[in-house]
Amino acid sequence: MQQPTSRRQVIAAAAGTAAAIGVTGPKATAAPPSAASPPSPLSASSSPATTAAVRARAASLLNRLSLEQKVGQLFVVEVYGRTADTEHAKNRDLYGVSTPAEVITKYRPGGVIYFDSRRGPDNVREPRQIARLSNGLQRAALRGGAHVPLLVSIDQEGGSVVYRMLEPATQLPGNMALAATRSARDVYESADIIGTELTALGINQNYAPVADVNINPANPIIGVRSFGSDSRLCADFVSAAVRGYHHGGVASAGKHFPGHGDTDIDSHTGLPKITHTREELDRIDLPPFRAAIRRGVDTIMTAHIVVPSLDASLVPATMSRPIVTGLLREELGFEGVIATDALDMGGATADFPPDVAPVRAFQAGCDQLVLAPKLDTAFAAVLSAVRTGKISRERLDASVTRILEHKLRRRLFPYPYVSEQRAARVVGSRRHRSRARAITERSVTLIRNERGALPLTGAPREILVTGWGTAPLAALARAVGERRGQSATILETGLAPNAAKIAEAVSAAREHEVTIVLANAAAAPTDKGAAQAALIQALHATHTRLVVAAVRNPYDIQRYPDIPAYLATYSYGAPSMASLADTLYGDLNPSGRLPVAIAALNDPNRTLYRFGHGLRYARH
């Protein structure tokens, strides 16, 4: 059966693609055996007696909260600094106070979210420091008022796109790489490792897994963050990930509802429109969210996307009552916490100023307001809306109760602290790194291998390692150079190599026996990888031995379909580069299979490589 490759073909046939290529039954979709992974005591599912006790306790806590404290519970804020008592100018700019602890004391927010230094807050450097920060913020939350602990959250999806913690935290290869293994066990174990390490750090809410079905190769924001283009595969693996996070002790969050997989606009900077019909949404986008709800996902995060078939008013889903309350809460029956995507993103701020966005999102049915800009303004706007009756007291109480119940199920009362010493032992443990290495090895996908270009023999040779990425090039060169008789030279050409850089690479390739190129078109949104493709085509014309590895989206081969050897790693972390090196030399026989189809660049109806494609080396 011909597999769909264009976006519209995928839309037309999404429901049956997995079955059509034989991705059925326990091998591809079964959840990990329960005997090997007993239910976590922190699982979202509870007995009726436990549920009743949680509800009674939440009602009691609610009665102790003032109106201002209830409003505070709705907000998730960022803080700047590595400790609760770190003074930082950005805290003063945003909140009028100096330290993270003072931010918590001033607003009594329901949660905080950690970021690394790339965004600015610089919250996550090393295990003891992170655990100390978590403990300090919890102390600040419990010192006054109703003594409600914090949801301490993070975006740690795995992979190389959305992550906050580098080593010593265990580095996992990410969702699309996991889907390439076709192993629900690998998905579960990856989430379990991440969850276990986050829990040890005092982080109790992970905004993962991504539940979007990536059917648009031009998607600038999802891509490898998705498990792939097949709804069934995504649903099964989202379910396995939720279970893994729960077993690791951390709350899970499916995102981005109702589905961000078919867009070519980044909602961080613009407002995408999803043109799927309701029937297409039911077949393509909603199955992973339904699976997450069945598995007991704690939180679902909304998307800043317009979906006309669900709401003709053309407001973002985050602000849409028909989508948030009508579809998610009432039709799909989700009873957990609904969180907004960051309200400081372009998709939210373009038409909704700081005093409007949080009120509209809350009126739509969201419970948690994440990263609302100008917090004084946002807080005052919600408080005023309640006092004037624009938001009813009953509606406010319903959301705060859900948040309190969530914290009770996470067992944050009465002692939400963690051991700094244990954090250092758990994070990046030898066992975790060993499990992660095995998972990563199973994800590498060999897509093209003409005339026995691979594997490379162990004969002494000089290798040119070139293309995109300072760190991944160094990691790959190091892994190659550690082999007996192999010498690796690095030549970084960057995001969009110019003619001079291409000429330099061509000259260097002629002086080496093998050239390995790392490609990442998604990192070059301006020309969509055209300059990287020109580099690769020029190297191909030298007739020297050429190998290209896509270290993010596997679609990059569309621009150079005739190269002799092409692999996909879906990630450019050091573990992925080590696995790539082992695959290049045949120490690993590649077993990954494409979680997406790859169509021709100028003819989306022509298949280059079908969903499920993956080559192996012949063994003699």
Side-chain angles (χ1 to χ4, degrees):
M1 177 179 176
Q2 179 69 29
Q3 291 300 305
T5 54
S6 72
R7 186 178 67 86
R8 297 314 303 177
Q9 281 181 308
V10 171
I11 289 174
T17 54
I21 63 141
V23 186
T24 58
K27 182 177 181 180
T29 63
S34 58
S37 51
S40 165
L42 296 182
S43 173
S45 59
S46 304
S47 67
T50 303
T51 298
V54 165
R55 288 176 177 167
R57 176 64 174 147
S60 175
L61 289 167
L62 182 72
N63 290 333
R64 289 165 41 190
L65 297 179
S66 68
L67 177 59
E68 290 79 2
Q69 289 166 346
K70 290 178 182 179
V71 171
Q73 285 297 303
L74 307 179
F75 288 91
V76 177
V77 304
E78 63 181 337
V79 293
Y80 282 71
R82 298 180 201 169
T83 74
D85 298 318
T86 299
E87 294 189 358
H88 198 291
K90 195 66 176 178
N91 291 324
R92 288 189 289 274
D93 291 343
L94 292 175
Y95 310 120
V97 295
S98 297
T99 70
E102 289 171 330
V103 175
I104 303 305
T105 300
K106 178 177 179 179
Y107 297 101
R108 296 294 168 194
V112 295
I113 181 168
Y114 287 168
F115 289 100
D116 57 13
S117 58
R118 291 175 300 170
R119 180 176 168 104
D122 195 18
N123 303 137
V124 288
R125 284 299 181 101
E126 55 88 17
R128 283 187 173 87
Q129 169 265 317
I130 301 170
R132 190 177 306 121
L133 173 62
S134 298
N135 288 340
L137 295 179
Q138 293 289 13
R139 288 190 192 96
L142 292 173
R143 269 201 296 257
H147 310 289
V148 178
L150 293 164
L151 283 171
V152 181
S153 58
I154 198 168
D155 294 290
Q156 188 74 1
E157 297 174 5
S160 301
V161 181
V162 175
Y163 61 90
R164 307 297 175 225
M165 297 190 303
L166 291 171
E167 293 181 342
T170 303
Q171 302 302 297
L172 281 303
N175 284 354
M176 194 171 284
L178 293 169
T181 73
R182 291 304 194 274
S183 169
R185 168 65 69 182
D186 285 347
V187 176
Y188 170 86
E189 289 207 349
S190 176
D192 184 29
I193 292 168
I194 292 172
T196 300
E197 295 193 356
L198 294 181
T199 299
L201 297 168
I203 300 170
N204 46 57
Q205 170 77 70
N206 193 18
Y207 288 129
V210 170
D212 305 310
V213 181
N214 196 79
I215 67 170
N216 191 335
N219 195 324
I221 184 60
I222 303 302
V224 292
R225 299 170 63 193
S226 165
F227 286 111
S229 63
D230 183 78
S231 298
R232 178 177 172 182
L233 192 69
C234 289
D236 290 333
F237 286 178
V238 164
S239 179
V242 169
R243 190 177 179 203
Y245 286 127
H246 287 173
H247 190 262
V250 71
S252 56
K255 61 186 186 183
H256 309 81
F257 188 84
H260 209 316
D262 187 12
T263 176
D264 56 6
I265 294 175
D266 184 346
S267 55
H268 287 87
T269 56
L271 182 59
K273 179 184 290 186
I274 304 296
T275 59
H276 293 186
T277 66
R278 175 57 201 265
E279 187 271 337
E280 290 166 348
L281 287 160
D282 281 330
R283 287 194 292 109
I284 300 167
D285 303 282
L286 295 180
F289 292 100
R290 293 181 188 273
I293 292 169
R294 287 194 299 270
R295 179 56 69 184
V297 69
D298 306 87
T299 299
I300 289 181
M301 178 178 283
T302 63
H304 304 323
I305 56 174
V306 169
V307 190
S309 63
L310 296 178
D311 188 345
S313 73
L314 303 184
V315 299
T318 299
M319 318 296 179
S320 169
R321 184 170 178 81
I323 294 175
V324 177
T325 296
L327 177 57
L328 179 54
R329 186 70 77 195
E330 296 174 353
E331 184 176 336
L332 300 189
F334 180 59
E335 297 181 351
V337 173
I338 300 175
T340 69
D341 205 345
L343 291 173
D344 61 359
M345 293 167 57
T349 60
D351 297 319
F352 298 90
D355 62 331
V356 175
V359 174
R360 287 292 298 272
F362 193 76
Q363 289 174 323
C366 296
D367 304 305
Q368 279 188 326
L369 307 172
V370 181
L371 293 175
K374 296 187 178 179
L375 188 57
D376 283 338
T377 299
F379 191 101
V382 175
L383 186 61
S384 174
V386 176
R387 284 175 170 163
T388 61
K390 196 173 181 180
I391 294 172
S392 71
R393 299 292 180 112
E394 291 77 15
R395 170 70 186 88
L396 175 65
D397 285 353
S399 281
V400 176
T401 297
R402 272 189 287 269
I403 292 167
L404 293 173
E405 289 178 352
H406 179 37
K407 294 179 177 185
L408 287 162
R409 285 194 298 270
R410 292 293 104 195
R411 299 190 177 177
L412 300 184
F413 295 87
Y415 194 80
Y417 306 113
V418 294
S419 163
E420 295 175 21
Q421 291 72 27
R422 183 176 183 276
R425 291 195 306 270
V426 169
V427 175
S429 70
R430 181 179 300 177
R431 180 170 179 266
H432 285 179
R433 286 185 283 110
S434 176
R435 290 164 65 191
R437 182 169 57 250
I439 293 169
T440 304
E441 289 173 350
R442 289 189 285 271
S443 69
V444 178
T445 306
L446 179 60
I447 297 170
R448 184 174 172 86
N449 190 24
E450 297 299 301
R451 298 181 297 278
L454 293 174
L456 303 175
T457 67
R461 58 166 59 88
E462 294 184 352
I463 308 288
L464 175 65
V465 180
T466 187
W468 172 87
T470 303
L473 287 170
L476 179 60
R478 183 168 55 252
V480 169
E482 289 172 350
R483 292 175 170 273
R484 183 187 300 272
Q486 306 302 294
S487 173
T489 301
I490 299 173
L491 174 60
E492 183 179 3
T493 56
L495 289 178
N498 57 24
K501 185 61 73 173
I502 291 174
E504 182 184 1
V506 166
S507 177
R510 291 194 173 109
E511 302 298 321
H512 293 77
E513 297 175 60
V514 178
T515 298
I516 303 170
V517 184
L518 300 187
N520 185 353
T526 302
D527 74 347
K528 300 182 179 179
Q532 292 181 38
L535 165 71
I536 291 166
Q537 294 286 18
L539 292 169
H540 185 30
T542 65
H543 302 293
T544 57
R545 198 167 186 176
L546 176 66
V547 178
V548 179
V551 295
R552 186 165 164 182
N553 293 339
Y555 310 107
D556 291 6
I557 195 175
Q558 291 176 317
R559 290 187 178 273
Y560 33 85
D562 297 327
I563 58 167
Y566 181 77
L567 306 95
T569 63
Y570 315 95
S571 169
Y572 44 83
S576 293
M577 295 302 95
S579 294
L580 173 61
D582 287 344
T583 303
L584 293 174
Y585 285 89
D587 293 342
L588 285 178
N589 196 345
S591 58
R593 291 189 285 161
L594 280 173
V596 296
I598 301 176
L601 182 64
N602 297 318
D603 183 3
N605 293 313
R606 181 166 68 87
T607 304
L608 290 180
Y609 299 98
R610 66 180 177 84
F611 177 97
H613 171 81
L615 302 175
R616 292 180 64 83
Y617 297 141
R619 295 300 193 189
H620 301 288

